[in-house]
Amino acid sequence: MTATIKSYFACANSSRGFCNYFESNLQGLERLYILKGGPGTGKSTLMKKIGADFYDLGYDIEFIYCSSDASSLDGVLIPALKVGIVDGTAPHVIEPTAPGAIEQYVNLGIAWDKEKLSPYKDEILLLKHEISACYERLYSEYAHALEIHDAWEKIYIDEMDFNLAPQFRYVICETLLKYPSINRTPTVKHRFFGASTPTGSVDHIEDLTHDLKRYFIKGRPGTGKSTLLKELAKKSETLGYDTEIYHCSFDPESLDMVLIPQLNICFFDSTAPHEYFPSLETDEVIDTYETLITPGTDEANADRLAEIASLYKATIKKGTTALGEAKKLHDVLEEIYIKAMNFQIIEGIYEQIKSEIYDLIK
């Protein structure tokens, strides 16, 4: 059987600040390498190489991507070997469960030439201060965008049939998850399939769902998509099935997808900025707007909706611009450190980690 690669985000730059679900995805690991070291030390490259090595050997791989740079990794997991390698530098907070027995800290900073870095001390401190200021702007703009989004939702909430909504969700859960209870404690993992990145919204929907029975949940803001997903997740857990819960990267209190691996089923919010349409014969659509909202609501509120949508997009753009500026400053910071790096040392660390993981196979 061909090995697979699963890609997702465990962190998000959200309207509620930085959100971290890292530890939820490290459940069950028996060996975890936590990489320490600042920008430019090759953490992402090392993880990509390890992932490629063991994918080529036929092992399924999970790539955890960085929400501040969608081309970089925050982690790589090899589930069959119960091994993971993660970026353990700020803002990722990873609480060790058994230091030395499970978690092993790997300091890539030993490859720095301190004498080459010393002349850049003031510039490094200034860059870090400016990057921090960019993130403060980002979170401020996204928080404002959330307030705008709440006003957007209210238009539809005011037109919802609250007598029908609970019955609608119950029927969906009982009909689409009509499976026997397997009487076990399920593993529940929290993550994000997408992220608001410096280049805009990025997601891994196709990668995560292409071979599953997919239910596309359509609707508008405030039409109960997240509430339905929460009840589907609860039903899956109650039945004892492992459940992957994908939160909204803009508002982590909302859900965007529930994936149930043992049933090969997923339900996801298929509206902008991650709007997809059925492309497989088995795909089905669940429309919350058509079912629960007063007909003609879009038309009756067209001008107000257009105004809110425009203001929301403009505010999100300001936040994304701030994130892009942070990325540019971070790239400058990386270049300073890269010039002071001895990558032969990093190569040796990579070979050591790879060898130790190979030993687990033997």
Side-chain angles (χ1 to χ4, degrees), residues 133-241:
C134 286
Y135 277 100
E136 287 180 10
R137 283 171 44 214
L138 161 69
Y139 297 136
S140 175
E141 294 294 349
Y142 278 8
H144 182 208
L146 181 61
E147 294 174 354
I148 298 167
H149 197 271
D150 287 345
W152 197 348
E153 287 187 339
K154 188 176 186 305
I155 291 174
Y156 293 101
I157 291 172
D158 288 346
E159 297 297 332
M160 179 177 286
D161 186 336
F162 283 99
N163 292 319
L164 178 59
Q167 179 185 352
F168 168 73
R169 294 192 297 269
Y170 176 81
V171 170
I172 291 290
C173 290
E174 293 302 310
T175 302
L176 302 185
L177 289 183
K178 193 175 183 179
Y179 293 91
S181 172
I182 54 178
N183 193 29
R184 60 185 287 273
T185 301
T187 297
V188 179
K189 296 183 178 179
H190 294 265
R191 49 181 63 151
F192 304 92
F193 64 62
S196 300
T197 76
T199 56
S201 180
V202 174
D203 68 62
H204 293 288
I205 279 288
E206 292 291 355
D207 171 52
L208 291 165
T209 71
H210 68 90
D211 58 350
L212 303 178
K213 167 67 176 177
R214 305 187 296 187
Y215 292 94
F216 293 66
I217 302 178
K218 298 289 186 178
R220 310 287 190 276
T223 57
K225 301 185 298 296
S226 177
T227 302
L228 174 58
L229 286 166
K230 288 175 181 177
E231 293 196 11
L232 287 162
K234 183 179 179 181
K235 175 70 173 180
S236 174
E237 293 175 50
T238 299
L239 291 173
Y241 295 102

Side-chain angles (χ1 to χ4, degrees), residues 90-333:
H92 314 108
V93 178
I94 301 170
E95 291 294 334
T97 54
I102 294 177
E103 295 88 2
Q104 299 181 37
Y105 290 92
V106 182
N107 181 15
L108 304 189
I110 62 173
W112 285 327
D113 184 330
K114 294 180 181 178
E115 291 185 3
K116 290 182 179 179
L117 285 176
S118 183
Y120 294 96
K121 181 186 71 173
D122 291 341
E123 185 176 352
I124 289 170
L125 292 173
L126 177 59
L127 284 167
K128 292 183 72 173
H129 174 75
E130 291 177 338
I131 290 170
S132 179
C134 286
Y135 277 100
E136 287 180 10
R137 283 171 44 214
L138 161 69
Y139 297 136
S140 175
E141 294 294 349
Y142 278 8
H144 182 208
L146 181 61
E147 294 174 354
I148 298 167
H149 197 271
D150 287 345
W152 197 348
E153 287 187 339
K154 188 176 186 305
I155 291 174
Y156 293 101
I157 291 172
D158 288 346
E159 297 297 332
M160 179 177 286
D161 186 336
F162 283 99
N163 292 319
L164 178 59
Q167 179 185 352
F168 168 73
R169 294 192 297 269
Y170 176 81
V171 170
I172 291 290
C173 290
E174 293 302 310
T175 302
L176 302 185
L177 289 183
K178 193 175 183 179
Y179 293 91
S181 172
I182 54 178
N183 193 29
R184 60 185 287 273
T185 301
T187 297
V188 179
K189 296 183 178 179
H190 294 265
R191 49 181 63 151
F192 304 92
F193 64 62
S196 300
T197 76
T199 56
S201 180
V202 174
D203 68 62
H204 293 288
I205 279 288
E206 292 291 355
D207 171 52
L208 291 165
T209 71
H210 68 90
D211 58 350
L212 303 178
K213 167 67 176 177
R214 305 187 296 187
Y215 292 94
F216 293 66
I217 302 178
K218 298 289 186 178
R220 310 287 190 276
T223 57
K225 301 185 298 296
S226 177
T227 302
L228 174 58
L229 286 166
K230 288 175 181 177
E231 293 196 11
L232 287 162
K234 183 179 179 181
K235 175 70 173 180
S236 174
E237 293 175 50
T238 299
L239 291 173
Y241 295 102
D242 293 343
T243 307
E244 297 175 8
I245 298 175
Y246 292 80
H247 295 252
C248 170
S249 61
F250 172 67
D251 180 6
E253 292 186 2
S254 293
L255 302 189
D256 274 348
M257 181 167 75
V258 173
L259 194 156
I260 311 169
Q262 291 155 293
L263 300 178
N264 290 316
I265 290 177
C266 74
F267 304 86
F268 75 93
D269 179 342
S270 181
T271 56
H274 36 78
E275 185 172 21
Y276 287 86
F277 297 93
S279 58
L280 305 173
E281 288 186 6
T282 55
D283 291 343
E284 295 187 41
V285 172
I286 299 170
D287 196 321
T288 57
Y289 175 79
E290 292 291 338
T291 306
L292 301 176
I293 305 300
T294 304
T297 295
D298 280 346
E299 293 77 8
N301 296 276
D303 291 344
R304 178 60 178 150
L305 288 169
E307 178 185 350
I308 290 175
S310 177
L311 182 58
Y312 174 77
K313 290 176 182 177
T315 308
I316 287 290
K317 185 176 180 180
K318 290 179 182 178
T320 303
T321 297
L323 186 56
E325 290 173 5
K327 171 65 166 58
K328 290 178 182 177
L329 292 167
H330 189 271
D331 289 346
V332 174
L333 191 61

Side-chain angles (χ1 to χ4, degrees), residues 337-348:
Y337 280 94
I338 287 171
K339 291 174 183 177
M341 285 292 293
N342 181 339
F343 283 103
Q344 287 184 333
I345 294 176
I346 301 299
E347 184 67 16

Side-chain angles (χ1 to χ4, degrees), residues 342-357:
N342 181 339
F343 283 103
Q344 287 184 333
I345 294 176
I346 301 299
E347 184 67 16
I349 293 173
Y350 153 71
E351 292 290 349
Q352 178 64 30
I353 293 175
K354 182 172 72 169
S355 175
E356 291 178 9
I357 299 175

